[in-house]
Amino acid sequence: AAFPADPSQAVLDHHVKAMTAGDLDAVMADYADNALLVAPHGIAPGQTNVAGNDVFAGKANIRKFFAVLTDKDHIVGVRSMDSHAETLADGTIVMHWAQFPHTPQQVLGEDIFIIRGGKVLMQNITVEAAKH
């Protein structure tokens, strides 16, 4: 018997494809209007530092974050990324990623996505501390 593809995985696949293309509007199409994104402090300007993290509430604020990641100065890192995802529960996916894998510039991290009704409701981004 054939099973339908996980709709949450389809949202994540679209997100990764849109990010790699640097298509900000396509990236934002994946987010609910009231979505929440938590990311390490300092990636995008203008957010409040909450215990080392920036909290982007609502689609307009989340757009500010992804505008930085898809700009000409940061898209190289996005395009270098290797990733794989694991589904934890219905609509909850962890994406493990590496930017500039296997190089001295490598950056490792995880994104946890909560997806409902074909939209990202919550995303939490963690970046592994650099090892010196």
Side-chain angles (χ1 to χ4, degrees), residues 20-88:
T20 303
D23 187 339
L24 182 56
D25 289 333
V27 169
M28 295 313 304
D30 295 329
Y31 288 80
D33 290 341
N34 62 344
L36 184 69
L37 184 141
V38 179
H41 178 65
I43 294 174
Q47 297 300 306
T48 303
N49 184 351
V50 179
N53 292 292
D54 290 334
V55 178
F56 299 82
K59 204 169 183 174
N61 282 320
I62 292 170
R63 185 178 186 88
K64 295 174 191 175
F65 177 82
F66 285 112
V68 171
L69 292 186
T70 58
D71 74 15
K72 65 178 179 56
D73 296 327
H74 296 91
I75 194 66
V76 173
V78 171
R79 290 183 175 149
S80 76
M81 195 162 59
D82 283 342
S83 66
H84 69 277
E86 61 179 308
T87 300
L88 298 182

Side-chain angles (χ1 to χ4, degrees), residues 3 24 35 37 51 93 101 121 128:
F3 294 96
L24 182 56
L37 184 141
I93 298 175
L121 293 182
E128 185 177 297

Side-chain angles (χ1 to χ4, degrees), residues 69-123:
L69 292 186
T70 58
D71 74 15
K72 65 178 179 56
D73 296 327
H74 296 91
I75 194 66
V76 173
V78 171
R79 290 183 175 149
S80 76
M81 195 162 59
D82 283 342
S83 66
H84 69 277
E86 61 179 308
T87 300
L88 298 182
D90 185 32
T92 303
I93 298 175
V94 177
M95 182 177 75
H96 306 274
W97 52 266
Q99 286 186 344
F100 307 108
H102 313 293
T103 71
Q105 296 81 24
Q106 177 174 277
V107 177
L108 301 173
E110 289 182 342
D111 289 19
I112 300 172
F113 292 87
I114 298 175
I115 302 168
R116 299 286 186 273
K119 298 289 183 184
V120 176
L121 293 182
M122 200 277 187
Q123 180 179 0

